[in-house]
Amino acid sequence: MIRIEGVTFQLESAGRPVQILEDINLSIPKKQFVAVTGPSGSGKSTLLGLLAGLDRPTAGKIFWDDIEITHLGEDSLARLRRERIGMVFQSFFLIPTLTALENVMVPLELLGRLDSRAAAASVLSEVGLSERIHHYPAQLSGGEQQRVAAARAFAANPPLLLADEPTGNLDSASGKKVMDLLFRLHRDRGSTLILVTHDPTLTLLAERVISLRDGRIVRDSREKET
């Protein structure tokens, strides 16, 4: 479970504090699919960055299960992030000098997995790229690159997947394929999925929708009945 208690996040601009998030309180149970929506500048990506431990809140606490990550040292936080989180962004962030297979192997090798090559090949096959595993990112289409990024995020079976506008740089057909893939992997592997999106059609598929405006939660829908 993800738990956020009284989280505030500020930056300084021209010597003055700028409030990005204010008094955020959330509990997200395991295996839930949550869509985070709101206008540009509402704090969506900042919230995802805090959940990933990439930024630290100005005030408040964030828990992964029973572990408070807010004040963890960088080494401990990096280790937990490797073990527990997969991330997919609007920009693919693939390493250009590595093949698709090698990109997906990276998080597995960081975990010390001896089967990293076989496991990476398996997940790339799962996302329909078994014939492209030895291609470099520049040799892949945008949709293919995002599928590699999704495969990399899921390779270690993390309990939490964070996706920040993963279809933002794709055409509609490629975007649909990527989202279908994320939904399928979320369902089949049981990861909690937190998706930042501007697309209202995607929010209809979520079990829960959290809407932000001016750094505050203005709507938190109930989980859809199944």
Side-chain angles (χ1 to χ4, degrees):
M1 175 182 285
I2 302 297
R3 195 164 81 252
I4 305 172
E5 298 180 351
V7 161
T8 292
F9 185 75
Q10 292 180 343
L11 294 174
E12 281 200 8
S13 178
R16 295 183 178 181
V18 177
Q19 197 92 323
I20 308 299
L21 292 172
E22 184 174 358
D23 195 26
I24 301 294
N25 293 278
L26 278 176
S27 290
I28 299 173
K30 293 179 179 179
K31 301 184 179 181
Q32 192 172 64
F33 170 24
V34 179
V36 180
T37 68
S40 296
S42 60
K44 303 184 301 298
S45 295
T46 299
L47 178 61
L48 223 61
L50 291 170
L51 286 174
L54 298 174
D55 293 306
R56 296 182 187 269
T58 307
K61 300 177 180 180
I62 299 173
F63 294 85
W64 297 344
D65 294 326
D66 294 325
I67 301 173
E68 184 188 348
I69 68 165
T70 319
H71 300 298
L72 283 180
E74 289 298 333
D75 289 344
S76 298
L77 190 54
R79 177 177 54 79
L80 281 172
R81 193 185 298 119
R82 287 197 300 268
E83 295 171 351
R84 295 174 179 241
I85 294 182
M87 292 179 280
V88 184
F89 299 96
Q90 182 173 340
S91 299
F92 316 127
F93 292 122
L94 299 179
I95 301 171
T97 55
L98 300 182
T99 64
L101 180 66
E102 291 165 341
N103 266 281
V104 178
M105 287 173 61
V106 168
L108 298 170
E109 291 183 333
L110 289 172
L111 289 172
R113 289 272 296 269
L114 299 178
D115 64 339
S116 61
R117 180 171 292 272
S122 176
V123 72
L124 282 167
S125 176
E126 196 173 346
V127 302
L129 291 174
S130 56
E131 297 182 357
R132 309 284 277 171
I133 63 174
H134 297 302
H135 288 69
Y136 291 91
Q139 298 171 311
L140 302 173
S141 69
E144 288 171 335
Q145 290 185 63
Q146 193 61 296
R147 279 189 279 162
V148 173
R152 181 180 59 189
F154 272 104
N157 286 319
L160 174 62
L161 179 70
L162 304 176
D164 191 357
E165 295 283 1
T167 63
N169 286 331
L170 304 177
D171 60 68
S172 57
S174 296
K176 183 179 186 306
K177 288 180 181 178
V178 167
M179 288 313 308
D180 287 346
L181 168 65
L182 289 177
F183 297 153
R184 178 169 61 81
L185 291 173
H186 153 69
R187 182 187 66 242
D188 294 348
R189 295 185 175 223
S191 297
T192 303
L193 173 59
I194 303 177
L195 169 71
V196 165
T197 182
H198 283 102
D199 189 340
T201 62
L202 296 180
T203 64
L204 294 175
L205 302 174
E207 298 169 87
R208 179 180 180 187
V209 179
I210 295 168
S211 299
L212 297 178
R213 182 177 295 276
D214 298 328
R216 289 180 172 272
I217 296 173
V218 293
R219 176 177 176 248
D220 185 353
S221 72
R222 294 180 179 180
E223 185 173 343
K224 292 182 180 178
E225 294 184 2
T226 56

